[in-house]
Structure formats: C-alpha cells, structure tokens
C-alpha cells in the first residue's frame, strides 16, 4: 500500500500545504538595505552593491550635509593621513594624481567627492539625515528606522531588510571631563569640530591631548602661536613614517612631480606596481606586534634612539615622553616635526594634571593658573563602541545594554540577537593594521556574499550564534596576550581603558583578509521565508538557462574554481 503524499498529510494535520514558488533557481528576492554614513564605507558599499547584486534598494543616511565622513568633519590645522595616499584609496578607484605622498584632509575629501561623482553614487545618499533609532521586527524580518532631519528636526520613518552601520568608530567626538571647561572666556575648540573662523596666530594656545590629532595640531600651531602649552597625560611612541622606504629623506613627506603623475596616468601598470609595493611593505610588519619578538625589541630600540636624537640627547622630555610599554600598544603616530616642535622656545610641555578650567585659562594641580587666549581639545571620541542611539534587536534587547560591560562582535561585524545587522570595523576588527580602505573593501565583499545568499536561497533573517561569538572572543583574547596591544597603556584600541582585553583582530592584516575569503555560514542561524527550506529551488529552471547564457559553462579549464582551496 502506497504512503500518503506529504501535501495531503500536511493538510490532514492542519498544516499549511506546500506550494511551489514560481521562480527560477538563482532568482534574487528584492532586498531593501539602509546604511548609516556616506564616508569610506558607504561609498564602497554603494559601488559594490550596484555592480554585484540584483533587485535591491539602497538608502544611505548621512548626518552631515556632505559626504566624506571623518574627512569632512575633521578640518583642524595639520589634519592629514599618516597612510601613504596611494594605498589610502579604493582598489576600484585609483588616483594617479595625488599631490603628496601623505595627503592632507582637503585632498582626501576631494578624492571621495570625485569618486562619488565619477561612479554616480550620490543618488543613494540622503544628507543631513541622522538615524536616531532602529527596531527589529521579527515577524516581518525587517528593521524599522527613525531618521531625524538635522535641518528641521522632523522625524521620518523608513524600513529595511538589512541595516548596515558604516558610521565609523572614531566618529562620536566628546569634550574632556574637566571641571569648568565651558567657563573659559576665549575660543574653546575640539579637533573633530573645528571652527575655521578662529585665528590662532600670535595667541597663547593650549593643546590638551597627545594622540594623533594632538600631535598634528601641535606641529601645525607651534610656528604661528605666540606661545603653545601642550598637556600630555600619557607617553606615546612617535614612530618612523608608514611606508618609510618610499617616503622622502628621514620619512619626510614629498610632492609628486608632474612627470610622476603623468606616468601614473598614462601607464596604469606602473601605478599598480607602485601601490602594491607600498602595500606589501605595510603588510610585512606584523611580527613587531608580538611583544617578545626580535622585531618588537628592534622597534623599541630604534624608536627610542630616534626620539632621543630628535629631542636632543640631554633633553629631559625624553624620559617622560618615551613609553615603557611596547611599540603599538597605542597606535604609533609618525608625527614628522612634532618632537622638534616640543623643543622650540615658544612651547611648554606640561605633565601635571589639570584641576579645572577657569575663565582666564587652566589651573593645574600645583595651583598654578596658565593664562590662555584659546584652548584646543584633542581628546578624541567616545570609544566604547556603544551605539549613540537605541538599536533594539530580538526580544527587545538594546545593544547598549548588551554591550554595557564589553562590546563583542562576531568577526567584528555581526552581533547575536541583532539579525540582519552589519557593523563595519567593530570590536576586534583590524583597527591598527594599516590602511583602513582595503579592510573596508574586504568587509563589503563578505557582505555582498551574505546578501546574495539571503536573496537567492530564500532567507528571511540571519544572525551569528552566541556560541560562535564566544569561541571567536575566546580565541582572540587568548591570542592577543602575545601582543603589545594587550600591554598596560590607555588606548582606544582597548575602548579607552588602560587595562583589559585588546579589541583588535587576533592576527595580521593578511590574516584578516584570508579569514574573510570563505565565510563560515555554519556560524550563523538562518531563518527561511518559506517553511520549506528548499522552496528557493523554484519551478525547476535556473538563471543559467536565461537566453544568452552559456549553457555549457562547465566545459572549461578543469583547474579553475579551486583557487581558494589550493591557496
């Protein structure tokens, strides 16, 4: 006697009868994606989605009136990138006409503007629009998003299947917690919210902070200020320049000649060879991040000697500025000209703690009041990784609460309890691993693979499992004990803490790229749109049978398709 059919059995049991979806295998289900931020991440996502996905809507919300992200927001004197310009660019948008080896903020911003215009990416962006809330709807498999118009204050609503946070890590700037800060009668400036109408020429200026922005500011302001007081809380390594072998004498910046630019323009193969050589050099230095390695010991010895030489052999500043922790615990800054600026007659370096700010200046713990005409805060950002607005996931879990003690993310970019959510350069990402742009591009390639799988295989939602995250963090924490990132120093690479786990990728930059090449889909929890997981197989036909396609594509070089296995 034959068995009863599955459809008939399902109907008899009151289950929903299964019906064939009249789509071909490979059909792309429409997806709506919302991305925060039109900086380096948003532009890369827009470019790659347009070229590698079908049937999608992308809306980028940018809180600023222009694109460019950090390079739009940071306009302080001396603002520049310490990564060589020819590797601080997209693989898909090489720029043969950079004016200098290390580009300044205006030129980098113009690069992003030109790139967006060339590839028509602004059509995806809505400016002066700040996302202020995101709430996951489990039944719909969608995010409900609230957006505030920064011009009018009006709140609008939107929705998406996938919510991508490309707002950047060093983005939420904050004033330092100093008593009486806003009682100061003169201009009070922050490096990330610079007022270009303030003229510091001939003024008595204080710079608080000696991170990368503070180092650039001191170097730029010292020649024009009547007197400069710089407040240093922590020692820091002033490194040789990144891309040292390609920079000018002693790591100095230099201008490209018109002949060099023309050669790069007319001979793209020479440009790519030059870019690859610089990139390869930066990718070859991971051994120095291991605290017991000969390379770390050599870095400490060489930088110590270099810093003492630049400060002057008998300068007592050296004992206060040169760190006891390893090179890289805090992100080293090239700081060309910075140490020399500290030795100028119009500069005072203060290590005493600040008690408070008073109307006429800064009062020290010693009781001394330093009278000032302007105060510059180069004190950085909120580096807790906690979202600045509510992101509410499954079971009404708020990400800010889930991350109250420590931010953790699967491979730095996805979070349990928050389906269809992607974070760029999150905790345990390649935050101190060379140029950010290639790292961003590799994340986008991973995201494209994820979105394509969701579109073509009938998935409603996807989220990393807690077990997978726990294993990743266990591995990272165990490995990073070997590195200088775990040493005792206050660093944004540890969420602004002095102790505690390092929140960087547990490996080299190439290790990061390799890890992302073949996604571990088994680490994710998948929820299908249809109760039958094979519904995506559709009506028996495939996109490979579309008119014009090669219907014998598998007759090819028999060794093709194994590259990721062989390598």
């Amino acid at each position: 006697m034959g068995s009863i059919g599955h459809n008939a059995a399902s109907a008899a049991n009151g289950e929903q009868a299964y019906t064939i979806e009249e789509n071909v295998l490979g059909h792309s289900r429409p997806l709506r994606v919302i991305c925060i931020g039109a900086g380096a991440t948003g532009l890369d996502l827009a470019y790659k989605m347009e070229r590698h996905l079908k049937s999608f809507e992308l809306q980028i919300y940018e809180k600023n009136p222009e694109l460019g992200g950090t390079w739009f927001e940071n306009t302080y004197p001396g603002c520049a990138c310490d990564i060589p310009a020819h590797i601080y660019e997209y693989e898909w948008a090489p720029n043969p006409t950079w004016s200098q080896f290390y580009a300044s903020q205006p030129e980098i911003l113009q690069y992003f503007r030109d790139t967006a215009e060339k590839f028509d990416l602004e059509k995806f962006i809505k400016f002066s629009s700040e996302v202020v809330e995101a709430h996951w709807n489990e039944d719909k498999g969608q995010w409900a998003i609230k957006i505030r118009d920064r011009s009018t204050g009006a709140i609008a609503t939107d929705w998406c299947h996938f919510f991508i946070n490309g707002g950047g890590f060093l983005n939420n700037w904050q004033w330092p917690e100093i008593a009486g800060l806003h009682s100061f009668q003169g201009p009070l400036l922050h490096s990330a919210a610079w007022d270009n109408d303030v003229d510091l020429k001939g003024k008595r200026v204080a710079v608080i902070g000696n991170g990368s922005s503070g180092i650039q500011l001191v170097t730029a302001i010292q020649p024009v200020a009547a007197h400069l007081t710089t407040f240093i809380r922590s020692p820091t390594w002033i490194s040789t320049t990144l891309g040292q072998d390609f920079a000018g004498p002693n790591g100095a910046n230099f201008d490209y000649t018109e002949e060099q630019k023309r050669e790069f323009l007319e001979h793209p193969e020479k440009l790519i060879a030059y870019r690859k050589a610089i990139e390869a050099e930066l990718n070859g230095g991971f051994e120095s991040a291991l605290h017991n390695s000969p390379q770390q010991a050599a870095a400490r010895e060489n930088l110590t000697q270099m810093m003492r030489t630049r400060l002057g052999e008998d300068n007592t500043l050296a004992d206060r500025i040169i760190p006891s922790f390893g090179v890289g615990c805090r992100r080293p800054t090239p700081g060309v000209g910075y140490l020399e600026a500290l030795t100028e007659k119009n500069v005072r370096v203060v290590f005493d703690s600040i008690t408070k700010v008073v109307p006429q200046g800064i009062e020290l713990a010693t009781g001394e009041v330093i009278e000032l005409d302007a105060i510059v805060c180069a004190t950085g950002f909120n580096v807790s990784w906690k979202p600045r607005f509510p992101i509410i996931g499954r079971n009404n879990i708020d990400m800010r609460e889930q991350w109250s003690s420590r931010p953790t993310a699967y491979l730095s970019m996805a979070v349990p309890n928050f389906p269809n959510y992607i974070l760029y350069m999150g905790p345990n990402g390649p935050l101190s691993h060379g140029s950010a742009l290639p790292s961003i591009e590799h994340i986008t390639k991973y995201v494209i693979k994820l979105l394509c799988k969701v579109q073509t295989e009938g998935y409603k939602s996807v989220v990393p499992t807690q077990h997978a995250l726990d294993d990743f963090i266990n591995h990272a924490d165990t490995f990073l004990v070997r590195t200088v990132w775990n040493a005792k120093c206050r660093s944004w690479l540890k969420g602004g803490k002095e102790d505690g786990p390092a929140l960087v990728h547990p490996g080299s930059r190439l290790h990061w790229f390799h890890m992302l090449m073949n996604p571990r889909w088994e680490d994710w929890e998948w929820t299908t749109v249809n109760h039958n997981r094979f519904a995506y197989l559709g009506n028996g036909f495939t996109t490979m049978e579309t008119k014009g396609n090669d219907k014998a594509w598998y007759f090819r070089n028999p060794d093709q398709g194994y590259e990721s296995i062989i390598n």
Side-chain angles (χ1 to χ4, degrees), residues 159-430:
W159 69 276
C160 58
H161 296 103
F162 273 80
F163 180 40
I164 297 179
N165 191 338
F169 173 55
L170 298 179
N171 179 269
N172 188 10
W173 70 270
Q174 60 185 16
W175 293 110
E177 294 183 4
I178 300 175
L181 181 66
H182 296 280
S183 70
F184 181 61
Q185 291 180 343
L188 179 65
L189 303 166
H190 193 286
S191 58
W194 196 260
D195 184 348
N196 286 289
D197 292 331
V198 175
D199 184 4
L200 298 177
K201 186 176 181 180
K203 301 292 177 60
R204 298 168 299 173
V205 183
V207 175
I208 304 174
N210 67 325
S212 58
S213 298
I215 288 168
Q216 291 180 341
L217 276 161
V218 165
T219 309
I221 294 172
Q222 178 272 321
V224 301
H227 190 273
L228 175 65
T229 305
T230 177
F231 293 84
I232 295 178
R233 179 174 63 172
S234 303
T236 191
W237 288 106
I238 303 300
S239 69
T240 52
T241 51
L242 300 172
Q244 177 81 11
D245 290 349
F246 298 88
N250 298 315
N253 199 5
F254 66 85
D255 294 338
Y256 288 104
T257 65
E258 292 305 313
E259 182 181 358
Q260 286 173 310
K261 290 186 234 179
R262 185 167 56 253
E263 183 177 42
F264 286 150
L265 186 63
E266 295 175 355
H267 300 280
E269 73 283 359
K270 293 184 178 180
L271 175 58
I272 188 63
Y274 179 66
R275 293 176 62 209
K276 286 187 69 170
I278 300 173
E279 183 84 350
E281 182 190 280
L282 264 67
N283 281 342
F286 179 68
E287 291 90 347
S288 65
L290 304 176
H291 65 74
N292 286 327
S293 67
Q295 292 85 349
Q296 172 63 205
R300 292 186 68 157
E301 182 179 351
N302 293 338
L303 290 187
T304 297
Q305 183 57 46
M306 181 272 290
M307 291 178 68
R308 288 190 180 277
T309 300
R310 287 171 58 183
L311 285 168
E313 288 296 340
D314 299 324
N315 195 323
T316 56
L317 283 177
D319 295 330
R320 302 293 299 272
I321 293 176
I322 297 174
S324 59
F325 51 77
V327 177
C329 183
R330 296 179 72 191
R331 190 178 188 276
T333 301
V336 176
Y338 171 70
L339 294 173
E340 292 79 0
L342 297 184
T343 67
E344 293 293 335
K345 294 180 179 179
N346 69 331
V347 174
R348 177 184 175 187
V349 181
V350 175
F351 297 98
D352 296 316
S353 60
I354 296 171
T355 299
K356 62 182 175 180
V357 172
V358 294
Q360 67 270 35
I362 291 176
E363 182 177 317
L364 303 179
T366 61
E368 177 188 1
V369 174
I370 300 175
E371 295 189 358
L372 299 162
D373 299 311
I375 296 176
V376 175
C377 298
T379 47
F381 305 82
N382 181 325
V383 291
S384 68
W385 267 286
K386 291 181 186 177
R388 67 175 76 180
F389 59 88
I391 299 179
I392 311 300
R394 278 181 174 163
N395 303 314
N396 286 319
I397 295 174
D398 190 322
M399 190 178 294
R400 295 172 299 180
E401 296 177 5
Q402 182 163 313
W403 282 0
S404 59
S405 59
R406 175 182 176 179
T408 55
Y410 173 77
L411 306 188
S412 84
M413 60 183 168
V415 186
N417 300 315
F418 296 85
N420 295 11
Y421 174 80
I422 297 293
L423 171 66
Y424 272 70
M425 302 295 278
N428 289 105

Side-chain angles (χ1 to χ4, degrees), residues 9 23 27 73 135 144 270 286 312 327 355 409 478 557:
N23 295 313
H27 164 76
E73 294 181 2
H135 203 290
K270 293 184 178 180
F286 179 68
V327 177
T355 299
T478 305
N557 182 340

Side-chain angles (χ1 to χ4, degrees), residues 35-73:
C35 174
I36 298 176
T41 291
L43 297 182
D44 186 58
L45 183 70
Y47 174 87
K48 287 186 169 68
M49 284 186 67
E50 188 166 40
R51 279 152 185 78
H52 302 294
L53 287 181
K54 300 176 182 177
S55 191
F56 72 89
E57 294 179 1
L58 171 64
Q59 181 63 67
I60 299 173
Y61 286 111
E62 169 55 58
K63 68 180 181 354
N64 293 317
E66 286 192 42
L67 57 78
T70 190
W71 298 107
F72 171 79
E73 294 181 2

Side-chain angles (χ1 to χ4, degrees), residues 140-154:
K140 292 183 177 180
Q142 298 175 4
W143 284 95
I145 309 293
K146 290 184 180 179
I147 308 99
R148 181 172 66 88
D149 186 318
R150 298 192 77 180
S151 301
T152 66

